[in-house]
């Protein structure tokens, strides 16, 4: 007597966006990519491999250099937005120091965010080989994954 149980009935598969925001592994969506949460004073280190499915995140030496370009684009967007908001709130166009201070503050405040999410964007949406695998997700949830 064989019982055919669909995986969707057993486990609630997290969405791609929720997994990316939470910093989960792109292949199994359960293991953490980073050693500490985003808003903590502990280490901002990224795990070498997924603790759940053993996926090696850096597929080749220097792979995360591409994340610097993504982080740069994010920084430019944040700087433009912060300066536009500053102008909208103050109406001041005469003082360049106001904009320099706002730009430096935005850069420092958003640096941890940019570091983390530039790598998440690279792994989730710019690397085709790191796609979600429902079979690996199920094996991780059941504890039957063999590394």
């Amino acid at each position: 007597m064989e019982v055919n149980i669909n995986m969707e009935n057993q486990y609630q598969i997290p969405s791609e966006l929720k997994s990316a925001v939470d910093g989960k592994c792109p292949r199994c969506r359960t293991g953490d990519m980073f050693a500490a949460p985003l808003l903590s004073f502990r280490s901002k280190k990224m795990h070498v491999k997924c603790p759940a499915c053993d996926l090696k995140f850096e597929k080749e030496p220097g792979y995360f250099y591409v994340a610097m370009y993504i982080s740069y684009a994010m920084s430019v967007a944040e700087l433009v937005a912060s300066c536009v908001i500053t102008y909208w709130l103050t109406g001041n166009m005469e003082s360049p120091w106001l904009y320099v201070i706002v730009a430096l503050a935005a850069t420092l405040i958003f640096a941890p965010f940019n570091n983390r999410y530039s790598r998440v964007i690279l792994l989730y949406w710019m690397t085709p080989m790191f796609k979600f695998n429902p079979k690996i997700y199920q094996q991780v949830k059941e504890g039957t994954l063999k590394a």
Side-chain angles (χ1 to χ4, degrees):
M1 179 148 106
E2 183 176 311
V3 179
N4 187 5
I5 299 174
N6 195 354
M7 187 177 75
E8 286 81 17
N9 294 338
Q10 286 182 329
Y11 302 108
Q12 177 72 27
I13 298 175
S15 71
E16 185 176 32
L17 184 61
K18 180 178 179 350
S19 298
V21 169
D22 291 342
K24 300 295 183 183
C25 171
R27 185 171 75 173
C28 70
R29 292 188 188 167
T30 53
D32 289 325
M33 290 171 53
F34 297 91
L38 175 64
L39 300 174
S40 74
F41 290 108
R42 296 187 343 201
S43 172
K44 302 292 181 195
K45 281 185 87 171
M46 184 173 185
H47 292 297
V48 175
K49 292 184 177 186
C50 173
C53 71
D54 208 35
L55 171 70
K56 185 177 179 187
F57 294 125
E58 189 173 13
K59 69 178 192 167
E60 59 191 24
Y63 174 70
F64 286 114
Y65 283 130
V66 176
M68 289 190 312
Y69 294 107
I70 298 168
S71 178
Y72 173 73
M74 293 168 69
S75 295
V76 168
E78 292 158 1
L79 291 176
V80 168
S82 65
C83 289
V84 166
I85 290 170
T86 301
Y87 174 73
W88 182 65
L89 290 175
T90 65
N92 186 347
M93 282 295 287
E94 282 75 43
S95 173
W97 290 109
L98 172 67
Y99 293 97
V100 169
I101 291 169
V102 167
L104 286 174
T107 302
L108 292 175
I109 290 169
F110 286 115
F113 173 85
N114 292 344
N115 177 48
R116 176 176 292 233
Y117 287 107
S118 63
R119 290 175 178 227
V120 168
I121 289 169
L122 177 64
L123 289 173
Y124 267 83
W125 294 293
M126 298 181 76
T127 308
M129 68 185 314
F130 291 152
K131 290 295 176 196
F132 175 66
N133 189 331
K135 291 180 182 177
I136 292 177
Y137 174 78
Q138 185 176 15
Q139 289 174 347
V140 167
K141 284 296 189 183
E142 293 172 353
T144 60
L145 183 69
K146 295 177 180 77

